[in-house]
Amino acid sequence: MENKASQPVVIVIFGATGDLNWRKITPALFNLYLDHWMPDQFSIIGTGRNEMSDHDFKEKLLDGVNRYSRKGKADAQQWEAFSNHMQYQVADVTDPKAFEQLAVTINKLENSWTQAPIVIFYMAVASNFFPIIAEHLKENKLAEYAERTRIVIEKPFGYDLDSARTLNQLLCKVFDEKQIYRIDHYLGKETVQNIMAFRFANSILEPIWNRNYIQHVQISVSEQMGIGSRGSYYEGSGALRDMVQNHVLQLLCLIAMETPINFNADEVRNRKVDVLRSMRPFKGEDIKRNAVRGQYSSGWVEGQQVPGYREEGNVDPASNTETFAALKFFIDNWRWDGVPFYVRTGKRMHQSASVISIQFRDVPHKVFPDDAIDNWRQNRLVISIQPEMSIRLQVQAKRPGLAMVLNTVDMVFNYEGTYSDETPEAYETLLLDTMEGDQTLFMRGDQVEAAWELLMPVLQSWESKPSLDFPNYSADSWGPELAEALIARDGFHWFALPPAIKKG
Ligand code: BG6
């Protein structure tokens, strides 16, 4: 299959010796190469602070590919052919000279090619370096061509509303919004992209996708892992900043957004921003009632003893950082008025799964005798993002037999049984979209700010009033009891996450 674009591409990765490039970026670029998505003329320039030969740089990245690529170990010849397009350059991003050198390298490449390349600057560095890198790129005229120069920014995008605004303003002095690709890797996930296809390509859904038919929505993004070696990052972050401000709210936007006029990046993002702007702000007492925080204690996970959050490396033994958050949101618009959206996310939970459940209202009148409906359950649509990739519609059906007995059955669309195609990694999709100039799956500046704005009262309240009951949930649990109370008050409960579908 010939997929490749013809325009040459230069990808400059700042922080190329770091974890992100090792685990995600290079394995994704290599897969794009193997699947014939890379143009014939492309060059990857990795930069980092430490001296390293091209050879050692490539070896390190090959190790990352072998460990983390969904395609498994690299074929030696294919890796050789791909890595011929790679080079390493020592660059201290605070030193202007590094950028002069970079400009020379890029110019040389441009002159050797027949067509001007797309130039992508990938910021795989801590966010405090973004502004200085942007400045130096400008000084060296490396950001001149708005049509073909792009910058990729990893999260966290800011630390709070003010810092996100400042960062947006700084970046926008050098780049046009059209050149800025803010990554939220959830948006690149196959199942997440499918939410829009599912909602807007099926006429049966729109008439029922509103407050008249939907009783409430649940979004659970739970992880079995603890924070591992990321203590110093996580201490300054917590679940609200790390997961809710971005991934979870983006999922919510996809479920709640109005139909875009078309599939243009800005049309889609306009509709998502509308959701964030319609969300009811948290005020005073709401925070206590509608936002719950948790922190994991030590425990056992699959037979292994695991430390509590406060015992993890680079974590304050009296830390107030939350590793779990559950919130209840309302969207004040015609479609969703009065429909609660419950979200929860946490580390060291019982099961790793990202699932969205849409609970429909009950039938207005039950015609069946009581003993036929012992197992009655309202209709529910369950969208499993990961690890299972499926959409299930749960309906009532008659159990085979002489008596009228109803039970709940699942109508299942399961990726595994439906498609034999491989599922690309989120980073493959996002890198290809960057090369192709499609911003649909990237966060626009106003989206990021609107998400921060919504969460600021909760962040401020949690920071100003340290939790007195931390740690308040044990490893391998479903989070603190207060999270159960948050939803139970409305007469609901967190749904069990779907079991994996067996093959065959
Ligand atoms: C990252 C967070 O953005 O997403 C991590 O910083 C989290 O803390 C990760 O573990 C989850 O991503 P995924 O793709 O594994 O669900």
Side-chain angles (χ1 to χ4, degrees):
M1 191 172 43
E2 271 303 289
N3 298 323
K4 62 179 64 159
S6 56
Q7 191 166 3
V9 176
V10 179
I11 302 174
V12 180
I13 305 172
F14 295 104
T17 53
D19 206 52
L20 184 70
N21 189 28
W22 183 55
R23 284 190 305 120
K24 298 285 187 192
I25 305 174
T26 294
L29 288 170
F30 185 48
N31 286 344
L32 288 173
Y33 174 79
L34 293 178
D35 291 341
H36 310 289
W37 289 102
M38 297 301 284
D40 288 332
Q41 294 173 322
F42 74 93
S43 182
I44 300 169
I45 306 169
T47 78
R49 259 179 309 187
N50 301 330
E51 289 285 347
M52 198 185 264
S53 68
D54 278 352
H55 175 267
D56 290 353
F57 178 62
K58 291 177 189 182
E59 283 298 299
K60 178 180 161 77
L61 294 178
L62 173 60
D63 175 59
V65 167
N66 287 340
R67 284 175 199 241
Y68 299 113
S69 171
R70 67 180 167 88
K71 289 183 190 275
K73 287 201 168 182
D75 169 89
Q77 266 182 345
Q78 285 172 324
W79 173 258
E80 168 84 15
F82 170 77
S83 64
N84 281 339
H85 295 260
M86 286 165 65
Q87 55 179 296
Y88 181 73
Q89 199 164 304
V90 188
D92 172 355
V93 294
T94 59
D95 178 4
K97 282 210 188 74
F99 291 83
E100 286 166 22
Q101 178 59 38
L102 201 55
V104 171
T105 312
I106 294 173
N107 283 338
K108 250 195 222 153
L109 285 165
E110 290 191 346
N111 294 335
S112 68
W113 289 335
T114 44
Q115 203 185 349
I118 304 282
V119 183
I120 296 169
F121 297 104
Y122 200 120
M123 308 275 197
V125 288
S127 56
N128 51 318
F129 292 118
F130 299 167
I132 190 156
I133 294 177
E135 257 322 297
H136 287 319
L137 292 175
K138 184 179 176 185
E139 281 158 17
N140 286 279
K141 301 196 177 1
L142 284 166
E144 294 263 278
Y145 302 101
E147 286 312 312
R148 57 181 187 85
T149 312
R150 291 161 203 164
I151 182 167
V152 180
I153 310 264
E154 277 287 335
K155 74 171 258 278
F157 195 87
Y159 178 77
D160 54 15
L161 179 58
D162 284 347
S163 56
R165 275 191 182 139
T166 308
L167 186 53
N168 272 334
Q169 281 160 6
L170 283 168
L171 289 175
C172 288
K173 277 192 197 151
V174 179
F175 295 95
D176 189 88
E177 180 63 41
K178 291 221 158 2
Q179 296 174 272
I180 307 174
Y181 289 68
R182 296 178 193 79
I183 286 201
D184 179 324
H185 79 280
Y186 262 60
L187 297 180
K189 289 183 191 273
E190 191 63 44
T191 38
V192 174
Q193 291 182 67
N194 191 41
I195 297 174
M196 278 218 281
F198 185 64
R199 281 198 56 199
F200 302 129
N202 295 299
S203 62
I204 57 166
L205 290 175
E206 176 54 21
I208 57 169
W209 207 260
N210 56 52
R211 62 190 299 275
N212 297 324
Y213 293 88
I214 293 177
Q215 182 188 58
H216 77 271
V217 176
Q218 296 187 14
I219 301 178
S220 289
V221 179
S222 69
E223 294 181 279
Q224 219 177 25
M225 287 180 331
I227 52 118
S229 56
R230 299 167 75 217
S232 44
Y233 154 74
Y234 203 86
E235 267 292 85
S237 174
L240 217 48
R241 289 190 170 90
D242 187 48
M243 297 295 286
V244 180
Q245 190 271 343
N246 33 75
H247 309 323
V248 174
L249 282 177
Q250 285 302 309
L251 294 179
L252 186 149
C253 284
L254 287 166
I255 295 299
M257 68 193 276
E258 295 299 315
T259 316
I261 298 166
N262 55 37
F263 208 55
N264 285 348
D266 273 332
E267 288 303 335
V268 171
R269 297 187 300 174
N270 286 344
R271 298 292 78 83
K272 287 164 90 182
V273 164
D274 288 347
V275 175
L276 293 169
R277 293 204 179 122
S278 318
M279 290 178 76
R280 191 178 301 168
F282 286 94
K283 284 197 198 110
E285 280 301 293
D286 295 351
I287 299 173
K288 250 213 230 118
R289 282 184 67 78
N290 296 336
V292 166
R293 55 182 154 166
Q295 190 190 71
Y296 63 82
S297 62
S298 59
W300 292 82
V301 173
E302 291 176 352
Q304 299 274 330
Q305 193 163 22
V306 294
Y309 177 69
R310 291 177 175 188
E311 286 105 59
E312 303 272 19
N314 297 320
V315 169
D316 178 351
S319 175
N320 182 44
T321 302
E322 80 285 355
T323 59
F324 174 97
L327 299 111
K328 174 177 162 185
F329 293 111
F330 282 104
I331 302 170
D332 289 333
N333 63 17
W334 271 43
R335 187 185 287 273
W336 297 114
D337 188 62
V339 178
F341 283 69
Y342 303 97
V343 308
R344 63 173 171 173
T345 182
K347 305 270 185 207
R348 279 274 181 254
M349 307 273 283
H350 176 63
Q351 189 183 336
S352 285
S354 301
V355 177
I356 303 169
S357 304
I358 320 273
Q359 174 86 339
F360 291 95
R361 292 192 186 285
D362 209 350
V363 296
H365 171 64
K366 294 196 179 92
V367 298
F368 302 97
D370 285 350
D371 56 358
I373 56 171
D374 267 359
N375 298 316
W376 185 269
R377 194 191 266 176
Q378 290 158 235
N379 294 150
R380 193 181 298 164
L381 183 75
V382 183
I383 302 175
S384 289
I385 308 293
Q386 62 186 26
E388 183 186 305
M389 299 167 65
S390 68
I391 299 180
R392 295 159 179 251
L393 181 59
Q394 302 187 329
V395 295
Q396 302 301 306
K398 179 187 172 301
R399 252 192 120 82
L402 297 178
M404 173 57 83
V405 176
L406 303 182
N407 67 346
T408 304
V409 292
D410 286 8
M411 293 165 67
V412 184
F413 154 51
N414 165 20
Y415 278 71
E416 210 169 69
T418 311
Y419 301 114
S420 54
D421 312 49
E422 287 174 33
T423 306
E425 284 280 339
Y427 273 86
E428 293 170 41
T429 304
L430 297 173
L431 280 160
L432 183 62
D433 283 359
T434 310
M435 289 190 257
E436 292 182 340
D438 182 350
Q439 290 184 303
T440 313
L441 302 180
F442 294 83
M443 312 267 282
R444 210 170 51 189
D446 54 350
Q447 266 179 300
V448 176
E449 289 180 17
W452 278 121
E453 195 166 348
L454 177 70
L455 295 181
M456 280 322 291
V458 184
L459 279 167
Q460 280 161 350
S461 157
W462 286 0
E463 271 162 19
S464 65
K465 294 183 210 110
S467 170
L468 299 176
D469 67 346
F470 275 3
N472 60 357
Y473 72 98
S474 61
D476 198 28
S477 73
W478 282 114
E481 272 173 28
L482 285 172
E484 302 298 331
L486 172 119
I487 190 164
R489 264 202 305 274
D490 298 339
F492 310 132
H493 62 274
W494 294 106
F495 300 140
L497 304 183
I501 296 177
K502 301 256 171 353
K503 279 189 188 173

